[in-house]
Amino acid sequence: MTGELADATRPRRARGEGGVYWDTRRDRWIAEKTVGYDGRGKPIRKRGSGKSPTAALKALSERVRQYEAGLSPGADRYTVSEAVEDWLAHGQTGTAPKTLEENQYLYRLHIAPHLGGRRLKDLRATEVDRWLASLTGNLSTIRLKHLHSALNRSVNRAMARGLVERNVVALCRPPKGRPGRPSKSLTVEQSAAILEHNRGHWMHPYVVVSLTVGMRTDEVRGLTWDHVQVHRNTDGTTGLHIEVWRAARHGGDTKTRTSRRTLAVPDVAARALLDQRGWQARRRAVASGGWADTGLVFTTGRGTPLRADNVRRDFRKVIAGVPGLDPREWTPRELRHSFVSVMSAAEVPLEEISRLVGHASTVVTELVYRHELRPVLQSGAQAIDKVFS
């Protein structure tokens, strides 16, 4: 049937329904409709094509629906990979470099191979649920949450730019992942052994301060000499205190506002800090002009900031040989857990321990360090038994 004959036999369309015509060059039916006008007054037309007038009208109807929903041209072909790559490139302003690197890693390893080629408009919540569930045996709960967040933010960005109508990822919840290695703490005896072990190693002062002051690993790495101050005690003697006002984090801030605190330094840590100052002076002399004057208390042999992986590696060297300890099973952050354990063993009240470690309340201390705290709730029953026996 020719285009002229089809036009003669088909009833005339009502105003606003658009028109259908045969395109000889494309060898297809074209349906066209004006959907509005741009800022210059020019008509905005949408077209759909098909092998039959019905198919062309159906394609046009979908184009008009997408336009009225605010979708951009090409949204029906936009993939998950394109959405995540756009978010990685332009949607992470102010994000720490370490987080940027981790997001790239998660995308390459877990998103691109499984969901990357999927058209975003075709992605379903059940599909996302199955994908997350397939990773529970390999990833921890916190890593699954991070992965879900990265995909969710990517789709949110695409939705804000008219590239998908809704975000099905927001309808999903990350499942529980593989159990992580539980944190543990040193006993009082093991802590004492570490304080005496490997004296002279450059890492020994770092370990002593972490174990006896209760600072986070990033707070120790970010500590500067400007924040190690001398004060006079009420009995006339002098001592040191540390102003925990910064950390080796993006932006230099502590983890929370309540983490900013001033801590008195015990004698054992004060001696370790003096040793550290002497070690830096010797290294500065050896390095000559190659020393980086960062002002940090704990640095590399050239004065540059310590990396977390270097600290983990050398920490295992320091504790190697301590009876009852396998260096492969311990990390520097567990020195802080051990500090809480030692404080609890010394019967320091929970409220005071919470302030020392920079927690907003005792609830956080109990949830995170429950295994280090003594079962003080038994004290009431024990007192009653003693009185009435």
Side-chain angles (χ1 to χ4, degrees):
M1 180 183 293
T2 65
E4 292 77 4
L5 182 58
D7 290 339
T9 58
R10 185 179 297 106
R12 182 179 181 83
R13 297 183 180 280
R15 183 179 298 275
E17 290 185 359
V20 181
Y21 60 90
W22 176 258
D23 190 325
T24 305
R25 183 178 59 83
R26 297 179 59 185
D27 196 29
R28 296 177 73 85
W29 289 95
I30 305 297
E32 185 180 66
K33 181 179 180 179
T34 299
V35 294
Y37 298 88
D38 62 17
R40 296 173 295 176
K42 292 187 176 181
I44 301 174
R45 296 187 176 91
K46 295 297 175 183
R47 297 180 177 85
S49 63
K51 294 183 179 180
S52 67
T54 302
L57 286 169
K58 184 177 180 181
L60 173 62
S61 177
E62 177 62 18
R63 293 288 176 84
V64 172
R65 188 195 67 78
Q66 292 179 357
Y67 171 78
E68 292 175 345
L71 296 180
S72 302
D76 55 338
R77 298 186 299 275
Y78 200 64
T79 65
V80 173
S81 275
E82 289 177 301
V84 180
E85 288 172 359
D86 177 66
W87 175 71
L88 290 172
H90 307 292
Q92 302 185 90
T93 304
T95 304
K98 185 177 180 181
T99 304
L100 293 174
E101 184 179 344
E102 183 176 1
N103 288 337
Q104 288 279 359
Y105 170 80
L106 290 175
Y107 165 65
R108 292 194 305 269
L109 193 64
H110 299 296
I111 299 179
H114 301 281
L115 300 176
R118 188 81 164 127
R119 290 186 178 183
L120 201 54
K121 72 181 184 67
D122 297 330
L123 190 65
R124 297 292 180 265
T126 53
E127 190 175 359
V128 176
D129 284 334
R130 288 195 298 267
W131 166 64
L132 289 171
S134 69
L135 300 173
T136 55
N138 298 322
L139 300 182
S140 64
T141 300
I142 189 66
R143 184 58 66 88
L144 284 172
K145 288 181 179 180
H146 194 165
L147 188 61
H148 173 269
S149 175
L151 183 59
N152 183 47
R153 293 181 183 186
S154 299
V155 180
N156 270 339
R157 179 179 171 85
M159 187 169 64
R161 283 151 182 77
L163 293 165
V164 69
E165 288 189 67
R166 63 183 187 133
N167 182 3
V168 298
V169 182
L171 304 176
C172 305
R173 293 292 178 268
K176 286 188 176 181
R178 174 177 54 83
R181 185 181 66 84
S183 295
K184 51 190 179 297
S185 65
L186 300 161
T187 65
V188 174
E189 293 75 16
Q190 290 171 331
S191 300
I194 286 180
L195 294 179
E196 296 299 325
H197 187 68
N198 256 334
R199 285 181 178 272
H201 192 284
W202 78 266
M203 185 73 177
H204 186 262
Y206 181 103
V207 173
V208 173
V209 171
S210 300
L211 182 58
T212 61
V213 181
M215 299 166 64
R216 294 182 178 90
T217 56
D218 55 7
E219 293 171 347
V220 180
R221 287 190 289 118
L223 180 63
T224 62
W225 287 112
D226 291 342
H227 290 155
V228 179
Q229 302 290 338
V230 178
H231 67 267
R232 183 172 295 277
N233 298 317
T234 55
D235 59 0
T237 61
T238 58
L240 294 180
H241 66 264
I242 289 176
E243 299 166 340
V244 187
W245 294 352
R246 66 186 305 275
R249 304 169 66 90
H250 182 59
D253 294 327
T254 54
K255 185 176 181 180
T256 63
R257 182 175 296 178
T258 53
S259 296
R260 291 173 64 96
R261 59 205 189 279
T262 301
L263 302 171
V265 176
D267 291 341
V268 63
R271 291 194 295 270
L273 288 171
L274 291 176
D275 291 342
Q276 178 65 12
R277 188 180 285 277
W279 177 83
Q280 280 193 345
R282 292 191 296 273
R283 297 300 303 180
R284 184 184 291 108
V286 173
S288 187
W291 177 264
D293 194 7
T294 58
L296 293 169
V297 174
F298 299 103
T299 63
T300 67
R302 301 187 66 84
T304 55
L306 293 173
R307 289 170 51 95
D309 51 350
N310 291 339
V311 171
R312 285 193 296 269
R313 179 196 63 204
D314 287 341
F315 169 70
R316 295 188 176 101
K317 294 180 180 178
V318 170
I319 67 173
V322 176
L325 293 184
D326 183 352
R328 296 169 298 180
E329 297 180 356
W330 295 87
T331 61
R333 68 185 177 91
E334 286 163 330
L335 294 173
R336 178 173 159 90
H337 286 250
S338 302
F339 171 81
V340 173
S341 179
V342 172
M343 291 295 101
S344 182
E347 300 184 353
V348 176
L350 179 59
E351 293 79 8
E352 186 65 17
I353 296 176
S354 180
R355 287 193 293 269
L356 288 170
V357 295
H359 286 160
S361 69
T362 58
V363 174
V364 180
T365 311
E366 289 180 299
L367 288 176
V368 179
Y369 298 90
R370 184 182 298 123
H371 53 287
E372 279 87 9
L373 298 173
R374 297 179 64 191
V376 295
L377 294 179
Q378 297 179 9
S379 58
Q382 292 170 353
I384 292 294
D385 287 340
K386 182 178 181 179
V387 170
F388 292 103
S389 62

mmCIF file of all heavy atoms in Angstrom, residues 192-231:
data_model
loop_
_atom_site.group_PDB
_atom_site.id
_atom_site.type_symbol
_atom_site.label_atom_id
_atom_site.label_comp_id
_atom_site.label_asym_id
_atom_site.label_seq_id
_atom_site.Cartn_x
_atom_site.Cartn_y
_atom_site.Cartn_z
ATOM 1 N N ALA A 192 51.940 -4.852 79.364
ATOM 2 C CA ALA A 192 53.188 -4.530 80.047
ATOM 3 C C ALA A 192 54.387 -5.091 79.295
ATOM 4 O O ALA A 192 55.443 -4.446 79.202
ATOM 5 C CB ALA A 192 53.146 -5.088 81.471
ATOM 6 N N ALA A 193 54.230 -6.293 78.742
ATOM 7 C CA ALA A 193 55.326 -6.903 77.985
ATOM 8 C C ALA A 193 55.659 -6.097 76.736
ATOM 9 O O ALA A 193 56.834 -5.917 76.386
ATOM 10 C CB ALA A 193 54.955 -8.343 77.616
ATOM 11 N N ILE A 194 54.631 -5.570 76.072
ATOM 12 C CA ILE A 194 54.850 -4.773 74.868
ATOM 13 C C ILE A 194 55.570 -3.468 75.203
ATOM 14 O O ILE A 194 56.440 -3.000 74.455
ATOM 15 C CB ILE A 194 53.514 -4.499 74.157
ATOM 16 C CG1 ILE A 194 53.023 -5.773 73.452
ATOM 17 C CG2 ILE A 194 53.635 -3.366 73.156
ATOM 18 C CD1 ILE A 194 51.716 -5.608 72.721
ATOM 19 N N LEU A 195 55.234 -2.873 76.335
ATOM 20 C CA LEU A 195 55.883 -1.618 76.724
ATOM 21 C C LEU A 195 57.377 -1.795 76.947
ATOM 22 O O LEU A 195 58.158 -0.848 76.769
ATOM 23 C CB LEU A 195 55.229 -1.062 77.992
ATOM 24 C CG LEU A 195 53.775 -0.603 77.863
ATOM 25 C CD1 LEU A 195 53.253 -0.097 79.198
ATOM 26 C CD2 LEU A 195 53.623 0.473 76.804
ATOM 27 N N GLU A 196 57.796 -2.994 77.335
ATOM 28 C CA GLU A 196 59.212 -3.248 77.582
ATOM 29 C C GLU A 196 59.918 -3.867 76.383
ATOM 30 O O GLU A 196 61.143 -3.889 76.330
ATOM 31 C CB GLU A 196 59.355 -4.194 78.788
ATOM 32 C CG GLU A 196 58.859 -3.609 80.109
ATOM 33 C CD GLU A 196 59.637 -2.358 80.489
ATOM 34 O OE1 GLU A 196 60.843 -2.296 80.219
ATOM 35 O OE2 GLU A 196 59.016 -1.432 81.045
ATOM 36 N N HIS A 197 59.141 -4.362 75.418
ATOM 37 C CA HIS A 197 59.723 -5.105 74.297
ATOM 38 C C HIS A 197 60.141 -4.163 73.173
ATOM 39 O O HIS A 197 59.483 -3.170 72.892
ATOM 40 C CB HIS A 197 58.690 -6.111 73.776
ATOM 41 C CG HIS A 197 59.236 -7.043 72.741
ATOM 42 N ND1 HIS A 197 60.170 -8.002 73.046
ATOM 43 C CD2 HIS A 197 58.981 -7.163 71.414
ATOM 44 C CE1 HIS A 197 60.446 -8.690 71.941
ATOM 45 N NE2 HIS A 197 59.751 -8.192 70.945
ATOM 46 N N ASN A 198 61.255 -4.494 72.519
ATOM 47 C CA ASN A 198 61.725 -3.788 71.326
ATOM 48 C C ASN A 198 61.990 -2.303 71.558
ATOM 49 O O ASN A 198 61.741 -1.470 70.676
ATOM 50 C CB ASN A 198 60.718 -3.956 70.181
ATOM 51 C CG ASN A 198 61.200 -4.956 69.155
ATOM 52 O OD1 ASN A 198 62.402 -5.175 68.996
ATOM 53 N ND2 ASN A 198 60.289 -5.570 68.449
ATOM 54 N N ARG A 199 62.479 -1.961 72.741
ATOM 55 C CA ARG A 199 62.885 -0.570 72.964
ATOM 56 C C ARG A 199 63.990 -0.199 71.971
ATOM 57 O O ARG A 199 64.893 -0.984 71.720
ATOM 58 C CB ARG A 199 63.411 -0.396 74.390
ATOM 59 C CG ARG A 199 62.314 -0.386 75.449
ATOM 60 C CD ARG A 199 62.927 -0.193 76.827
ATOM 61 N NE ARG A 199 61.925 -0.123 77.873
ATOM 62 C CZ ARG A 199 61.323 0.986 78.267
ATOM 63 N NH1 ARG A 199 61.652 2.126 77.687
ATOM 64 N NH2 ARG A 199 60.424 0.962 79.222
ATOM 65 N N GLY A 200 63.930 0.967 71.431
ATOM 66 C CA GLY A 200 64.906 1.387 70.436
ATOM 67 C C GLY A 200 64.379 1.312 69.025
ATOM 68 O O GLY A 200 64.904 1.988 68.129
ATOM 69 N N HIS A 201 63.343 0.489 68.782
ATOM 70 C CA HIS A 201 62.718 0.457 67.456
ATOM 71 C C HIS A 201 61.946 1.757 67.251
ATOM 72 O O HIS A 201 61.315 2.271 68.166
ATOM 73 C CB HIS A 201 61.782 -0.746 67.367
ATOM 74 C CG HIS A 201 61.308 -1.033 65.967
ATOM 75 N ND1 HIS A 201 60.335 -0.288 65.349
ATOM 76 C CD2 HIS A 201 61.674 -2.001 65.083
ATOM 77 C CE1 HIS A 201 60.120 -0.769 64.130
ATOM 78 N NE2 HIS A 201 60.922 -1.813 63.951
ATOM 79 N N TRP A 202 61.988 2.296 66.027
ATOM 80 C CA TRP A 202 61.349 3.592 65.790
ATOM 81 C C TRP A 202 59.849 3.558 66.068
ATOM 82 O O TRP A 202 59.231 4.582 66.387
ATOM 83 C CB TRP A 202 61.595 4.048 64.353
ATOM 84 C CG TRP A 202 60.716 3.358 63.340
ATOM 85 C CD1 TRP A 202 61.005 2.250 62.615
ATOM 86 C CD2 TRP A 202 59.403 3.753 62.953
ATOM 87 N NE1 TRP A 202 59.953 1.909 61.799
ATOM 88 C CE2 TRP A 202 58.955 2.825 61.988
ATOM 89 C CE3 TRP A 202 58.541 4.788 63.318
ATOM 90 C CZ2 TRP A 202 57.706 2.894 61.387
ATOM 91 C CZ3 TRP A 202 57.284 4.865 62.722
ATOM 92 C CH2 TRP A 202 56.879 3.934 61.771
ATOM 93 N N MET A 203 59.260 2.353 65.970
ATOM 94 C CA MET A 203 57.816 2.233 66.149
ATOM 95 C C MET A 203 57.419 2.133 67.620
ATOM 96 O O MET A 203 56.249 2.309 67.962
ATOM 97 C CB MET A 203 57.345 0.981 65.389
ATOM 98 C CG MET A 203 55.859 0.740 65.355
ATOM 99 S SD MET A 203 55.049 1.891 64.261
ATOM 100 C CE MET A 203 53.353 1.300 64.370
ATOM 101 N N HIS A 204 58.390 1.890 68.514
ATOM 102 C CA HIS A 204 58.073 1.663 69.916
ATOM 103 C C HIS A 204 57.366 2.855 70.568
ATOM 104 O O HIS A 204 56.345 2.672 71.252
ATOM 105 C CB HIS A 204 59.343 1.306 70.698
ATOM 106 C CG HIS A 204 59.079 0.920 72.112
ATOM 107 N ND1 HIS A 204 59.221 1.821 73.159
ATOM 108 C CD2 HIS A 204 58.667 -0.250 72.667
ATOM 109 C CE1 HIS A 204 58.908 1.219 74.295
ATOM 110 N NE2 HIS A 204 58.577 -0.032 74.026
ATOM 111 N N PRO A 205 57.817 4.108 70.385
ATOM 112 C CA PRO A 205 57.081 5.241 70.972
ATOM 113 C C PRO A 205 55.644 5.339 70.465
ATOM 114 O O PRO A 205 54.732 5.703 71.217
ATOM 115 C CB PRO A 205 57.913 6.456 70.563
ATOM 116 C CG PRO A 205 59.286 5.916 70.362
ATOM 117 C CD PRO A 205 59.086 4.547 69.774
ATOM 118 N N TYR A 206 55.444 5.049 69.190
ATOM 119 C CA TYR A 206 54.089 5.071 68.615
ATOM 120 C C TYR A 206 53.196 4.082 69.354
ATOM 121 O O TYR A 206 52.053 4.403 69.716
ATOM 122 C CB TYR A 206 54.169 4.720 67.124
ATOM 123 C CG TYR A 206 52.849 4.730 66.384
ATOM 124 C CD1 TYR A 206 52.516 5.786 65.550
ATOM 125 C CD2 TYR A 206 51.942 3.687 66.506
ATOM 126 C CE1 TYR A 206 51.305 5.808 64.859
ATOM 127 C CE2 TYR A 206 50.735 3.695 65.825
ATOM 128 C CZ TYR A 206 50.425 4.756 65.011
ATOM 129 O OH TYR A 206 49.227 4.764 64.330
ATOM 130 N N VAL A 207 53.706 2.870 69.582
ATOM 131 C CA VAL A 207 52.936 1.834 70.266
ATOM 132 C C VAL A 207 52.641 2.249 71.706
ATOM 133 O O VAL A 207 51.522 2.084 72.204
ATOM 134 C CB VAL A 207 53.689 0.491 70.220
ATOM 135 C CG1 VAL A 207 52.990 -0.560 71.085
ATOM 136 C CG2 VAL A 207 53.800 -0.004 68.779
ATOM 137 N N VAL A 208 53.632 2.819 72.388
ATOM 138 C CA VAL A 208 53.459 3.214 73.784
ATOM 139 C C VAL A 208 52.375 4.283 73.914
ATOM 140 O O VAL A 208 51.483 4.191 74.772
ATOM 141 C CB VAL A 208 54.792 3.718 74.370
ATOM 142 C CG1 VAL A 208 54.572 4.293 75.765
ATOM 143 C CG2 VAL A 208 55.809 2.584 74.424
ATOM 144 N N VAL A 209 52.422 5.318 73.066
ATOM 145 C CA VAL A 209 51.423 6.393 73.129
ATOM 146 C C VAL A 209 50.030 5.846 72.807
ATOM 147 O O VAL A 209 49.049 6.180 73.479
ATOM 148 C CB VAL A 209 51.811 7.531 72.169
ATOM 149 C CG1 VAL A 209 50.680 8.559 72.058
ATOM 150 C CG2 VAL A 209 53.085 8.214 72.639
ATOM 151 N N SER A 210 49.930 4.999 71.798
ATOM 152 C CA SER A 210 48.629 4.432 71.427
ATOM 153 C C SER A 210 48.049 3.588 72.556
ATOM 154 O O SER A 210 46.835 3.622 72.811
ATOM 155 C CB SER A 210 48.773 3.574 70.166
ATOM 156 O OG SER A 210 49.243 4.325 69.076
ATOM 157 N N LEU A 211 48.894 2.839 73.229
ATOM 158 C CA LEU A 211 48.435 1.915 74.258
ATOM 159 C C LEU A 211 48.110 2.605 75.577
ATOM 160 O O LEU A 211 47.224 2.164 76.310
ATOM 161 C CB LEU A 211 49.511 0.840 74.481
ATOM 162 C CG LEU A 211 49.222 -0.265 75.498
ATOM 163 C CD1 LEU A 211 47.951 -1.024 75.139
ATOM 164 C CD2 LEU A 211 50.399 -1.227 75.576
ATOM 165 N N THR A 212 48.795 3.699 75.875
ATOM 166 C CA THR A 212 48.641 4.310 77.205
ATOM 167 C C THR A 212 47.847 5.612 77.217
ATOM 168 O O THR A 212 47.539 6.138 78.283
ATOM 169 C CB THR A 212 50.023 4.587 77.815
ATOM 170 O OG1 THR A 212 50.740 5.503 76.972
ATOM 171 C CG2 THR A 212 50.815 3.298 77.962
ATOM 172 N N VAL A 213 47.517 6.139 76.030
ATOM 173 C CA VAL A 213 46.754 7.389 75.979
ATOM 174 C C VAL A 213 45.350 7.161 75.422
ATOM 175 O O VAL A 213 44.425 7.892 75.733
ATOM 176 C CB VAL A 213 47.503 8.454 75.148
ATOM 177 C CG1 VAL A 213 46.732 9.766 75.099
ATOM 178 C CG2 VAL A 213 48.883 8.704 75.748
ATOM 179 N N GLY A 214 45.174 6.119 74.583
ATOM 180 C CA GLY A 214 43.846 5.778 74.079
ATOM 181 C C GLY A 214 43.413 6.546 72.852
ATOM 182 O O GLY A 214 42.224 6.692 72.585
ATOM 183 N N MET A 215 44.362 7.031 72.054
ATOM 184 C CA MET A 215 44.026 7.766 70.835
ATOM 185 C C MET A 215 43.749 6.803 69.689
ATOM 186 O O MET A 215 44.250 5.682 69.666
ATOM 187 C CB MET A 215 45.177 8.704 70.464
ATOM 188 C CG MET A 215 45.475 9.752 71.523
ATOM 189 S SD MET A 215 47.075 10.570 71.269
ATOM 190 C CE MET A 215 46.803 11.401 69.708
ATOM 191 N N ARG A 216 42.956 7.256 68.730
ATOM 192 C CA ARG A 216 42.715 6.481 67.511
ATOM 193 C C ARG A 216 43.986 6.468 66.672
ATOM 194 O O ARG A 216 44.848 7.339 66.809
ATOM 195 C CB ARG A 216 41.569 7.085 66.699
ATOM 196 C CG ARG A 216 40.206 7.019 67.378
ATOM 197 C CD ARG A 216 39.127 7.601 66.469
ATOM 198 N NE ARG A 216 37.813 7.503 67.075
ATOM 199 C CZ ARG A 216 37.269 8.429 67.859
ATOM 200 N NH1 ARG A 216 37.952 9.542 68.134
ATOM 201 N NH2 ARG A 216 36.060 8.263 68.379
ATOM 202 N N THR A 217 44.081 5.501 65.768
ATOM 203 C CA THR A 217 45.286 5.406 64.933
ATOM 204 C C THR A 217 45.469 6.656 64.073
ATOM 205 O O THR A 217 46.589 7.136 63.902
ATOM 206 C CB THR A 217 45.222 4.165 64.036
ATOM 207 O OG1 THR A 217 44.013 4.203 63.258
ATOM 208 C CG2 THR A 217 45.225 2.886 64.860
ATOM 209 N N ASP A 218 44.378 7.201 63.522
ATOM 210 C CA ASP A 218 44.536 8.405 62.703
ATOM 211 C C ASP A 218 44.851 9.632 63.555
ATOM 212 O O ASP A 218 45.475 10.583 63.078
ATOM 213 C CB ASP A 218 43.296 8.651 61.838
ATOM 214 C CG ASP A 218 42.007 8.713 62.640
ATOM 215 O OD1 ASP A 218 42.076 8.696 63.879
ATOM 216 O OD2 ASP A 218 40.929 8.766 62.027
ATOM 217 N N GLU A 219 44.446 9.616 64.829
ATOM 218 C CA GLU A 219 44.800 10.716 65.729
ATOM 219 C C GLU A 219 46.281 10.677 66.084
ATOM 220 O O GLU A 219 46.919 11.728 66.193
ATOM 221 C CB GLU A 219 43.950 10.638 67.000
ATOM 222 C CG GLU A 219 42.469 10.908 66.766
ATOM 223 C CD GLU A 219 41.617 10.618 67.981
ATOM 224 O OE1 GLU A 219 42.120 9.972 68.933
ATOM 225 O OE2 GLU A 219 40.432 11.009 67.986
ATOM 226 N N VAL A 220 46.828 9.474 66.235
ATOM 227 C CA VAL A 220 48.259 9.351 66.532
ATOM 228 C C VAL A 220 49.082 9.764 65.323
ATOM 229 O O VAL A 220 50.064 10.511 65.439
ATOM 230 C CB VAL A 220 48.602 7.904 66.962
ATOM 231 C CG1 VAL A 220 50.088 7.785 67.272
ATOM 232 C CG2 VAL A 220 47.786 7.496 68.170
ATOM 233 N N ARG A 221 48.688 9.325 64.139
ATOM 234 C CA ARG A 221 49.428 9.673 62.925
ATOM 235 C C ARG A 221 49.323 11.158 62.614
ATOM 236 O O ARG A 221 50.216 11.723 61.965
ATOM 237 C CB ARG A 221 48.919 8.850 61.744
ATOM 238 C CG ARG A 221 49.350 7.390 61.785
ATOM 239 C CD ARG A 221 49.032 6.649 60.495
ATOM 240 N NE ARG A 221 47.609 6.418 60.336
ATOM 241 C CZ ARG A 221 46.873 6.905 59.351
ATOM 242 N NH1 ARG A 221 47.436 7.678 58.427
ATOM 243 N NH2 ARG A 221 45.587 6.639 59.270
ATOM 244 N N GLY A 222 48.244 11.803 63.047
ATOM 245 C CA GLY A 222 48.061 13.224 62.768
ATOM 246 C C GLY A 222 48.566 14.136 63.868
ATOM 247 O O GLY A 222 48.466 15.364 63.751
ATOM 248 N N LEU A 223 49.128 13.578 64.956
ATOM 249 C CA LEU A 223 49.586 14.383 66.093
ATOM 250 C C LEU A 223 50.810 15.215 65.709
ATOM 251 O O LEU A 223 51.760 14.718 65.112
ATOM 252 C CB LEU A 223 49.921 13.464 67.266
ATOM 253 C CG LEU A 223 50.424 14.133 68.542
ATOM 254 C CD1 LEU A 223 49.358 15.048 69.137
ATOM 255 C CD2 LEU A 223 50.869 13.077 69.555
ATOM 256 N N THR A 224 50.795 16.498 66.068
ATOM 257 C CA THR A 224 51.935 17.382 65.810
ATOM 258 C C THR A 224 52.571 17.802 67.132
ATOM 259 O O THR A 224 51.929 17.775 68.186
ATOM 260 C CB THR A 224 51.492 18.638 65.037
ATOM 261 O OG1 THR A 224 50.551 19.373 65.829
ATOM 262 C CG2 THR A 224 50.846 18.274 63.710
ATOM 263 N N TRP A 225 53.819 18.217 67.046
ATOM 264 C CA TRP A 225 54.529 18.644 68.251
ATOM 265 C C TRP A 225 53.893 19.896 68.849
ATOM 266 O O TRP A 225 53.991 20.139 70.066
ATOM 267 C CB TRP A 225 55.995 18.904 67.924
ATOM 268 C CG TRP A 225 56.794 17.659 67.692
ATOM 269 C CD1 TRP A 225 57.348 17.235 66.528
ATOM 270 C CD2 TRP A 225 57.119 16.662 68.667
ATOM 271 N NE1 TRP A 225 57.992 16.035 66.694
ATOM 272 C CE2 TRP A 225 57.878 15.660 68.014
ATOM 273 C CE3 TRP A 225 56.852 16.510 70.023
ATOM 274 C CZ2 TRP A 225 58.364 14.534 68.661
ATOM 275 C CZ3 TRP A 225 57.335 15.386 70.684
ATOM 276 C CH2 TRP A 225 58.081 14.419 70.023
ATOM 277 N N ASP A 226 53.237 20.707 68.048
ATOM 278 C CA ASP A 226 52.557 21.900 68.566
ATOM 279 C C ASP A 226 51.451 21.537 69.547
ATOM 280 O O ASP A 226 51.058 22.372 70.380
ATOM 281 C CB ASP A 226 51.959 22.716 67.414
ATOM 282 C CG ASP A 226 53.030 23.371 66.562
ATOM 283 O OD1 ASP A 226 54.168 23.476 67.047
ATOM 284 O OD2 ASP A 226 52.717 23.771 65.430
ATOM 285 N N HIS A 227 50.944 20.310 69.425
ATOM 286 C CA HIS A 227 49.836 19.875 70.279
ATOM 287 C C HIS A 227 50.304 18.986 71.429
ATOM 288 O O HIS A 227 49.482 18.354 72.090
ATOM 289 C CB HIS A 227 48.783 19.152 69.436
ATOM 290 C CG HIS A 227 48.041 20.072 68.514
ATOM 291 N ND1 HIS A 227 47.437 19.644 67.350
ATOM 292 C CD2 HIS A 227 47.835 21.418 68.577
ATOM 293 C CE1 HIS A 227 46.873 20.663 66.748
ATOM 294 N NE2 HIS A 227 47.106 21.753 67.474
ATOM 295 N N VAL A 228 51.612 18.908 71.642
ATOM 296 C CA VAL A 228 52.173 18.251 72.829
ATOM 297 C C VAL A 228 52.691 19.355 73.728
ATOM 298 O O VAL A 228 53.693 20.007 73.422
ATOM 299 C CB VAL A 228 53.294 17.265 72.451
ATOM 300 C CG1 VAL A 228 53.875 16.614 73.698
ATOM 301 C CG2 VAL A 228 52.777 16.205 71.476
ATOM 302 N N GLN A 229 52.000 19.597 74.832
ATOM 303 C CA GLN A 229 52.278 20.761 75.661
ATOM 304 C C GLN A 229 52.737 20.348 77.066
ATOM 305 O O GLN A 229 52.398 19.270 77.554
ATOM 306 C CB GLN A 229 51.021 21.638 75.791
ATOM 307 C CG GLN A 229 50.458 22.119 74.463
ATOM 308 C CD GLN A 229 51.348 23.142 73.795
ATOM 309 O OE1 GLN A 229 52.164 23.803 74.467
ATOM 310 N NE2 GLN A 229 51.216 23.288 72.481
ATOM 311 N N VAL A 230 53.500 21.243 77.682
ATOM 312 C CA VAL A 230 53.947 21.048 79.068
ATOM 313 C C VAL A 230 52.995 21.800 79.986
ATOM 314 O O VAL A 230 52.608 22.941 79.705
ATOM 315 C CB VAL A 230 55.391 21.557 79.259
ATOM 316 C CG1 VAL A 230 55.821 21.395 80.713
ATOM 317 C CG2 VAL A 230 56.341 20.827 78.319
ATOM 318 N N HIS A 231 52.596 21.182 81.088
ATOM 319 C CA HIS A 231 51.746 21.853 82.068
ATOM 320 C C HIS A 231 52.310 21.631 83.479
ATOM 321 O O HIS A 231 53.104 20.714 83.705
ATOM 322 C CB HIS A 231 50.301 21.328 81.990
ATOM 323 C CG HIS A 231 50.164 19.900 82.409
ATOM 324 N ND1 HIS A 231 50.227 18.852 81.509
ATOM 325 C CD2 HIS A 231 49.963 19.331 83.636
ATOM 326 C CE1 HIS A 231 50.074 17.714 82.154
ATOM 327 N NE2 HIS A 231 49.907 17.975 83.445
#
